Amino acid sequence: MNSFDKISVGGEARTELHDLLNLTGAEISVNVLPAGAGVPFVHSHRQNEEIYFVTEGEGKAVIDGEQTDLKAGDWLRVSPSAKRQLSAAPDNALKYICIQVKANSLEGYTMSDAVV
């Protein structure tokens, strides 16, 4: 059995990595919204916070009715209960990675969890 999984992601509108990488502690998706397009629904979560990383383009997020602009290089964390919806700018696609993890579940990180 391999101790790692590796895949390549193309230009699909949405690729969920949970099953493809056999993830056990997070859900990660790679997303592309064409210029002028948006996620077609407003949503929240029961337990999972979401962390968004904008890799290319521009757009906006509306979170609990408050708008924040997004551009390449931005990171955004959204609490589970917040209602959110993302959209691309009218003239620019928005490409982003979304990481979902259970809120308040982090018990160790980098140096505190590393075994040397």
Side-chain angles (χ1 to χ4, degrees):
M1 178 171 162
N2 289 340
S3 58
F4 67 92
D5 294 288
K6 178 184 173 185
I7 64 164
S8 292
V9 175
E12 296 85 6
R14 180 173 172 87
T15 303
E16 293 182 354
L17 303 182
H18 180 266
D19 291 335
L20 297 172
L21 287 175
N22 299 304
L23 301 177
T24 64
E27 170 63 285
I28 302 172
S29 61
V30 180
N31 303 271
V32 179
L33 289 173
V39 174
F41 53 87
V42 175
H43 75 287
S44 62
H45 288 276
R46 290 180 193 80
Q47 299 182 58
N48 293 345
E49 64 186 3
E50 288 183 322
I51 302 99
Y52 296 92
F53 174 56
V54 179
T55 60
E56 292 181 43
E58 297 177 350
K60 68 179 179 181
V62 178
I63 304 161
D64 286 341
E66 183 177 340
Q67 179 178 312
T68 186
D69 293 331
L70 300 172
K71 66 181 182 331
D74 285 350
W75 285 89
L76 174 69
R77 180 207 162 265
V78 181
S79 65
S81 64
K83 297 188 182 319
R84 81 275 331 243
Q85 185 176 34
L86 275 67
S87 59
D91 59 349
N92 204 333
L94 181 66
K95 297 181 181 183
Y96 63 94
I97 296 169
C98 180
I99 304 165
Q100 283 189 46
V101 294
K102 185 176 179 181
N104 301 308
S105 65
L106 186 63
E107 295 179 2
Y109 54 93
T110 313
M111 295 308 293
S112 65
D113 187 55
V115 179
V116 182

